[in-house]
């Protein structure tokens, strides 16, 4: 158990390091484009990127999660017929992505007319259609390596995809945008390049694995028939579709609602651009560690559940949630204290970013917990609950956008995030603890993380009070680094004290004669 948990921590740290770098560069690119084209242009670009993302998710079918879970369950049950699992997964990915590629290619003009009057958007949709099969194949192979606990391959693949995609987009924005090429075309070409290059990398890494397990004796598999595979995978596909469709609908409604509230269309798109390209990426940026943990625990819980190791499943869930609660409270405190400084650094020309970052601090624990809770739910194989709960979450968010943005403008967007995240994640917490037969301890999951965050902020403020900072950037970096060190120290101290108490609890007293 201890060795496995150490490995989980190492894999999580590796994925986190890569994600921090990539998402940081992506945030920098948004700021760069905002400074070059304006925040309103970023809003338009975000809408187009959401359209492309919507098409790609439909063609992908959540194949990463299903492949990772099925391979893990196959190994957990003691079976080794990975050839059958991968044959079904890759075949499903090929059929689904090819169908959506053909549909997108043929309906490109209709899609473009519905979204924008720009004629070049149809060409961009056709380019995106070409990237769908390699993207689906790459996700399937990523799921295999994630289940095999070789996280180096997904990490390297992410780096290759990001570098190819964003370097080509940056070069296009700097050198080609002024020569008449549209931003739609630049985005679509960059996506095609990124997906193609990473697909080639995944194929090169997967072929030796295929040669290895294809030579093994073909024993009985947990999934023998296509009908069995579809029965297990379709709920996962449906869950991804529901979440993506509702998310896209919400993202489409927000700028429309802001346009109706604001007298200026440029101001409405500017608010939308700042929210989607700066505020949300900043809020989610520290969550990369939880995203990495979620990707790791999906196959771990699936494998333990398949082997009917209840104690192992409960141990994974307890440790994951303990870390998630502690970390989410800490980040929430950092946004409360330093959110204004961070916002001013990201967008000095508009106070909306800094004000919103501070206002969002109470909902951060709910947003962050969702990442880990969804990983646990998928690992337990309870995808149907996840789908229904996501549907309710986005229904609440959409209703709030329709009602409150009309009344309060941008504040209504924040209300929608508060209402949907608080409700859906309280439901997720109740479901996970009930499904895993674990008792919710308020002191462990709420009181202790809150106290740690409070003392961390107080100690950091006291230590940095006498430091004279010449710039907001220096002040922010010093505070966040000091707070991070203190948080890690307090967290490790608490772990040692808890381990000591647990050991003493099970030490038998000597029998008195």
């Amino acid at each position: 158990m201890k060795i496995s948990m150490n490995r989980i921590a190492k894999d999580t740290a590796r994925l986190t390091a890569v994600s921090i770098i990539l998402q940081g560069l992506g945030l920098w690119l948004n700021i760069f484009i905002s400074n070059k084209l304006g925040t309103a242009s970023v809003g338009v670009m975000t809408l187009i990127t959401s359209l492309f993302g919507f098409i790609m998710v439909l063609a992908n079918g959540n194949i990463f999660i299903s492949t990772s879970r099925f391979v893990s369950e196959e190994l957990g049950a003691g079976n080794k017929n990975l050839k059958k699992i991968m044959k079904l997964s890759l075949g499903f990915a090929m059929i689904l992505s090819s169908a959506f590629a053909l549909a997108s290619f043929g309906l490109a003009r209709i899609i473009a007319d519905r979204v924008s009057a720009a004629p070049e958007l149809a060409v961009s949709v056709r380019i995106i259609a070409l990237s769908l099969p390699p993207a689906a194949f790459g996700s399937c192979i990523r799921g295999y390596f994630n289940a095999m606990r070789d996280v180096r391959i997904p990490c390297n693949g992410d780096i290759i995809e990001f570098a190819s995609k964003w370097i080509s987009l940056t070069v296009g924005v700097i050198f080609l945008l002024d020569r008449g090429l549209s931003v739609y075309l630049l985005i679509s070409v960059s996506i095609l390049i990124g997906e193609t290059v990473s697909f080639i990398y995944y194929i090169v890494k997967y072929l030796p694995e295929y040669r290895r397990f294809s030579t093994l004796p073909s024993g009985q598999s947990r999934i023998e028939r296509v009908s069995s595979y579809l029965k297990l995978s379709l709920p996962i596909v449906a869950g991804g579709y529901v979440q993506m469709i509702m998310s896209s609908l919400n993202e489409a409604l927000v700028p429309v609602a802001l346009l109706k509230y604001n007298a200026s269309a440029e101001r409405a798109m500017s608010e939308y651009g700042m929210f989607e390209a700066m505020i949300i990426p900043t809020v989610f940026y520290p969550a990369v560690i939880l995203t990495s943990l979620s990707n790791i625990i999906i196959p771990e819980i699936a494998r333990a559940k398949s082997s009917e190791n209840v104690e192992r499943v409960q141990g994974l869930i307890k440790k994951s949630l303990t870390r998630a609660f502690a970390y989410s409270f800490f980040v929430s405190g950092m946004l409360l204290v330093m959110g204004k400084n961070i916002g001013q650094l990201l967008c000095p020309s508009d106070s909306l970013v800094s004000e919103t970052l501070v206002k969002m601090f109470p909902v951060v624990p709910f947003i962050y917990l969702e990442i880990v809770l969804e990983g646990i739910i998928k690992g337990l194989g309870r995808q149907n609950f996840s789908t229904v709960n996501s549907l309710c979450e986005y229904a609440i968010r959409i209703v709030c956008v329709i009602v409150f943005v009309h009344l309060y403008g941008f504040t209504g967007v924040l209300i929608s995030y508060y209402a949907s995240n608080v409700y859906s994640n309280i439901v997720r917490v109740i479901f996970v603890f009930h499904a895993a037969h674990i008792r919710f301890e308020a002191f462990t999951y709420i009181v202790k993380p809150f106290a740690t965050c409070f003392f961390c902020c107080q100690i950091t403020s006291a230590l940095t009070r006498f430091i004279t900072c010449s710039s907001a950037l220096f002040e922010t970096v010093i505070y966040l680094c000091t707070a991070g060190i203190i948080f890690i120290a307090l967290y490790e101290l608490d772990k040692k004290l808890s381990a000591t108490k647990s050991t003493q609890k099970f030490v038998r007293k000597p029998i008195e004669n």
Side-chain angles (χ1 to χ4, degrees):
M1 171 77 75
K2 185 176 181 180
I3 295 175
S4 183
M5 290 306 298
N6 288 338
R7 187 176 177 184
I8 290 175
K10 291 178 181 178
D11 290 345
T12 302
R14 182 178 303 203
L15 287 173
T16 300
V18 172
S19 298
I20 285 175
I21 295 172
L22 298 186
Q23 292 197 23
L25 291 173
L27 182 59
W28 172 84
L29 183 63
N30 287 338
I31 297 171
F32 167 76
I33 294 175
S34 174
N35 293 333
K36 184 175 178 63
L37 304 179
T39 53
S41 297
V42 174
V44 175
M45 190 180 76
T46 302
L47 279 174
I48 300 303
T49 305
S50 299
L51 169 65
F52 293 162
F54 176 76
I55 296 172
M56 297 190 75
V57 169
L58 290 180
N60 187 284
N62 247 349
I63 196 69
F64 169 79
I65 292 174
S66 58
T67 304
S68 182
R69 199 185 106 192
F70 296 159
V71 171
S72 296
E73 289 176 345
E74 183 76 5
L75 296 173
N79 303 326
K80 302 295 182 181
N81 196 353
L82 300 180
K83 181 179 179 180
K84 185 72 173 180
I85 300 296
M86 291 305 296
K87 181 180 179 182
L88 291 169
S89 294
L90 288 169
F92 182 72
M94 179 187 68
I95 294 172
L96 190 66
S97 60
S98 298
F100 275 99
L102 291 173
S104 300
F105 203 92
L107 300 174
R109 170 54 59 189
I110 297 175
I111 296 172
D113 291 340
R114 291 287 186 272
V115 176
S116 172
E120 60 269 23
L121 183 57
V123 178
S124 301
V125 172
R126 291 192 175 101
I127 294 174
I128 288 296
L130 297 176
S131 69
L132 298 181
F137 267 69
S139 294
C140 187
I141 297 173
R142 282 182 70 242
Y144 167 80
F145 282 109
N146 190 64
M148 298 301 292
R149 299 300 308 279
D150 189 357
V151 299
R152 294 173 301 170
I153 306 301
C155 283
N156 293 337
D158 287 342
I159 293 172
I160 291 170
E161 179 185 342
F162 180 90
S164 304
K165 185 183 297 183
W166 291 109
I167 288 175
S168 59
L169 181 58
T170 303
V171 171
V173 170
I174 295 175
F175 298 105
L176 301 177
L177 195 61
D178 295 333
R179 298 185 180 182
L181 291 181
S182 69
V183 69
Y184 315 133
L185 188 62
L186 294 177
I187 293 172
S188 60
V189 170
S190 68
I191 291 174
L192 177 60
I193 292 173
E195 297 296 347
T196 303
V197 173
S198 62
F199 165 72
I200 294 172
Y201 169 78
Y202 286 128
I203 287 294
V204 170
K205 290 296 182 181
Y206 176 70
L207 286 177
E209 290 288 310
Y210 174 77
R211 295 191 190 102
R212 178 184 61 81
F213 66 65
S214 62
T215 57
L216 297 175
S218 297
Q220 186 176 4
S221 173
R222 294 185 73 252
I223 306 175
E224 287 289 340
R225 300 180 179 179
V226 175
S227 58
S228 301
Y229 182 87
L230 292 176
K231 183 178 179 180
L232 293 172
S233 62
L234 287 181
I236 300 176
V237 175
Y241 283 1
V242 167
Q243 188 167 9
M244 190 61 202
I245 291 171
M246 298 298 285
S247 175
S248 300
L249 180 59
N250 175 73
E251 289 181 3
L253 284 174
V254 169
V256 172
L258 289 172
L259 282 169
K260 291 182 178 180
Y261 179 82
N262 287 278
S264 168
E266 183 177 354
R267 179 58 188 172
M269 293 308 298
S270 178
E271 289 179 350
Y272 178 72
M274 285 185 285
F275 184 71
E276 291 291 341
M278 295 182 187
I279 296 169
I280 291 300
T282 302
V283 170
F284 277 92
Y285 184 62
V288 293
I289 185 171
L290 298 182
T291 303
S292 302
L293 176 62
S294 179
N295 288 335
I296 294 296
I297 63 175
I298 289 175
E300 285 294 326
I301 292 176
R303 189 176 302 186
K305 184 175 180 293
S306 180
S307 61
E308 298 182 356
N309 190 341
V310 178
E311 183 180 350
R312 169 71 170 158
V313 172
Q314 292 179 337
L316 285 167
I317 293 174
K318 286 180 180 178
K319 288 181 179 292
S320 300
L321 288 178
T322 300
R323 295 170 181 175
F325 272 94
Y327 184 70
S328 61
F329 272 81
F330 168 73
V331 175
S332 177
M334 293 302 99
L335 279 183
L336 173 63
V337 178
M338 300 304 295
K340 186 175 181 180
N341 280 20
I342 296 172
Q344 289 174 347
L345 291 170
L346 294 175
C347 186
S349 62
D350 200 309
S351 62
L352 180 69
V353 176
S354 57
E355 292 172 357
T356 304
L357 288 177
V358 176
K359 290 177 181 178
M360 288 192 73
F361 91 90
V363 80
V364 164
F366 296 95
I367 296 174
Y368 279 27
L369 284 173
E370 177 180 347
I371 299 169
V372 177
L373 289 169
E374 278 296 305
I376 293 171
I377 293 169
K378 290 179 174 66
L380 292 173
R382 307 298 290 270
Q383 188 67 46
N384 289 335
F385 167 81
S386 178
T387 301
V388 173
N389 193 52
S390 294
L391 184 62
C392 295
E393 176 183 359
Y394 279 101
I396 293 171
R397 188 173 299 179
I398 289 170
V399 170
C400 289
V401 166
I402 294 172
V403 174
F404 293 107
V405 174
H406 175 72
L407 296 174
Y408 306 111
F410 186 78
T411 303
V413 179
L414 299 184
I415 293 174
S416 71
Y417 260 78
Y418 267 84
S420 59
N421 279 287
V422 171
Y423 164 78
S424 62
N425 288 299
I426 288 177
V427 173
R428 285 188 180 98
V429 169
I430 294 172
F431 177 82
V432 165
F433 278 86
H434 177 74
H437 304 287
I438 300 172
R439 188 167 63 90
F440 182 85
E441 299 174 357
F443 179 78
T444 301
Y445 297 109
I446 296 179
V447 176
K448 191 185 291 186
F450 177 80
T452 302
C453 174
F454 177 79
F455 283 117
C456 184
C457 291
Q458 293 298 315
I459 295 170
T460 305
S461 298
L463 291 175
T464 57
R465 186 175 300 165
F466 303 103
I467 299 176
T468 303
C469 300
S470 58
S471 66
L473 175 60
F474 185 72
E475 177 186 358
T476 304
V477 171
I478 290 295
Y479 190 95
L480 293 179
C481 290
T482 305
I485 294 170
I486 294 172
F487 171 75
I488 293 172
L490 291 175
Y491 181 77
E492 291 297 324
L493 177 62
D494 177 66
K495 278 177 58 178
K496 290 182 179 179
L497 292 175
S498 299
T500 302
K501 290 180 181 179
S502 178
T503 303
Q504 292 175 348
K505 181 178 179 181
F506 291 100
V507 173
R508 293 185 178 181
K509 294 182 180 180
I511 300 174
E512 296 180 0
N513 293 325

